[in-house]
Amino acid sequence: MTQTLDRHSGCSPSIDAGTYTVGPLQSGPPCCVPEPLIRVTNLSVSYGNHPALKDVTLDIYKGCITALIGPSGCGKTSFLSALNRLTDMIPGCRVEGGIRIGGQDILAPRLDVSALRREVGMIFQKPNPFPLSIRRNIEMPLREHGMKKRADLDETLERVLTDVGLWAEVKDRLDKPALTLSGGQQQRLCIARALALAPSVLLMDEPCSALDPIASGIVEDMIAQLRGRYTVVIVTHNLAQAKRIANYAAFFWLRERGGTLVEFGQCRQIFEAPAHDLTAAYVSGMRG
């Protein structure tokens, strides 16, 4: 692979002829450790004869928030789905290349996919709480993974609801149906449910797109507070949101052979001094 230098900063990694490789690391915010946790190499995803993603190579850094940006249809969600093998559930989907999380090959045929999905949680666009009580939404996955003691269940319930800023709002109605919560509260409950299993990675596919601006702001603030404790990869079409909460950004674009990675770098560099004209056009609103 060819490593090129950012013409603006002189040190950020960029792309030559559609290829990306990690160059000298820059420091993110103090809580962000520029240490690769997820290493993706030449990843391609296709559905039948339709290529969705082609030859993407990218490192995701431990404890950081990485935003995937780009127009619809350029493979961002396919990239996200491959990271916890949700692609296995789609008939005709083919995944090629390499993905390692914490050094483990997650595409290995004998991998325990259930254990992977516990380690790599997924939050979807539309909140999807179980049609159960608020309490049981958190307790059900915990019980399925072996937690039985009431004291442990109660401690985890309070901790994860506190983490997402929901405990004070629901502590007096934990046995009420989760579907009676507002949309923003339901999304925070889904995030709490994922956190209950103690993942190291959280994947988020446009988690605020179905929410009103106030609820979206609350969820966005909560996501920002996860930085440093979890590795977060978020797909968003809200460029201002990406700039506010992410340490790093990866810009995808659709070409004839499928979605490709155009540029990766610190958010500030991507938005204020992009190395590629296409990135500059997209973040300024001229393209996409």
Side-chain angles (χ1 to χ4, degrees):
M1 290 185 181
T2 302
Q3 176 181 306
T4 59
L5 295 180
D6 182 335
R7 64 171 182 258
H8 299 284
S9 68
C11 61
S12 297
S14 61
I15 301 170
D16 181 25
T19 301
Y20 164 75
T21 187
V22 174
L25 297 178
Q26 299 177 343
S27 298
C31 62
C32 174
V33 180
E35 171 189 344
L37 176 67
I38 303 173
R39 312 202 81 153
V40 178
T41 308
N42 300 126
L43 178 67
S44 296
V45 179
S46 58
Y47 304 99
N49 295 322
H50 173 67
L53 202 62
K54 187 69 174 177
D55 292 331
V56 171
T57 294
L58 175 65
D59 283 355
I60 304 293
Y61 300 140
K62 181 179 180 180
C64 298
I65 299 175
T66 298
L68 310 183
I69 62 173
S72 297
C74 64
K76 302 184 300 297
T77 295
S78 294
F79 178 88
L80 209 65
S81 298
L83 296 183
N84 74 346
R85 288 188 46 176
L86 283 180
T87 45
D88 290 7
M89 304 172 69
I90 304 173
C93 181
R94 187 172 69 256
V95 178
E96 300 173 310
I99 305 175
R100 289 187 172 273
I101 300 181
Q104 182 179 32
D105 177 8
I106 72 154
L107 298 181
R110 296 182 180 274
L111 182 81
D112 184 342
V113 177
S114 178
L116 170 68
R117 291 175 184 155
R118 176 174 179 168
E119 188 72 13
V120 183
M122 183 76 160
I123 306 298
F124 298 94
Q125 293 182 31
K126 185 177 180 180
N128 59 345
F130 301 141
L132 304 169
S133 69
I134 296 168
R135 183 192 305 276
R136 290 191 64 197
N137 262 268
I138 304 298
E139 289 185 355
M140 177 177 283
L142 291 172
R143 290 183 182 276
E144 288 182 353
H145 285 86
M147 186 180 290
K148 304 296 183 184
K149 293 183 179 179
R150 170 50 56 189
D152 292 339
L153 292 168
D154 288 346
E155 186 277 329
T156 302
L157 175 71
E158 181 174 352
R159 175 173 51 80
V160 297
L161 290 178
T162 299
D163 281 349
V164 301
L166 203 53
W167 176 250
E169 299 173 28
V170 303
K171 63 181 180 180
D172 296 325
R173 49 181 173 136
L174 293 172
D175 295 313
K176 298 292 184 181
L179 295 178
T180 62
L181 298 174
S182 70
Q185 288 174 325
Q186 288 185 23
Q187 189 66 300
R188 284 186 284 153
L189 178 64
C190 293
I191 295 171
R193 188 174 64 198
L195 296 181
L197 296 178
S200 61
V201 179
L202 275 180
L203 310 176
M204 299 185 171
D205 190 4
E206 297 188 72
C208 299
S209 65
L211 306 180
D212 63 68
I214 294 176
S216 178
I218 293 171
V219 172
E220 181 182 308
D221 290 344
M222 182 274 300
I223 294 170
Q225 291 174 10
L226 299 178
R227 181 188 293 115
R229 292 187 291 158
Y230 302 92
T231 300
V232 178
V233 186
I234 180 171
V235 170
T236 180
H237 285 102
N238 185 331
L239 297 182
Q241 179 183 81
K243 190 174 181 179
R244 284 191 297 267
I245 69 172
N247 303 100
Y248 294 91
F251 171 51
F252 288 74
W253 192 256
L254 181 63
R255 303 187 189 277
E256 290 183 4
R257 59 192 179 98
T260 59
L261 177 66
V262 175
E263 185 170 356
F264 172 81
Q266 284 193 6
C267 250
R268 184 172 181 178
Q269 177 256 313
I270 291 292
F271 284 96
E272 298 180 7
H276 292 267
D277 292 340
L278 187 56
T279 311
Y282 183 76
V283 299
S284 68
M286 295 175 60
R287 294 291 299 272

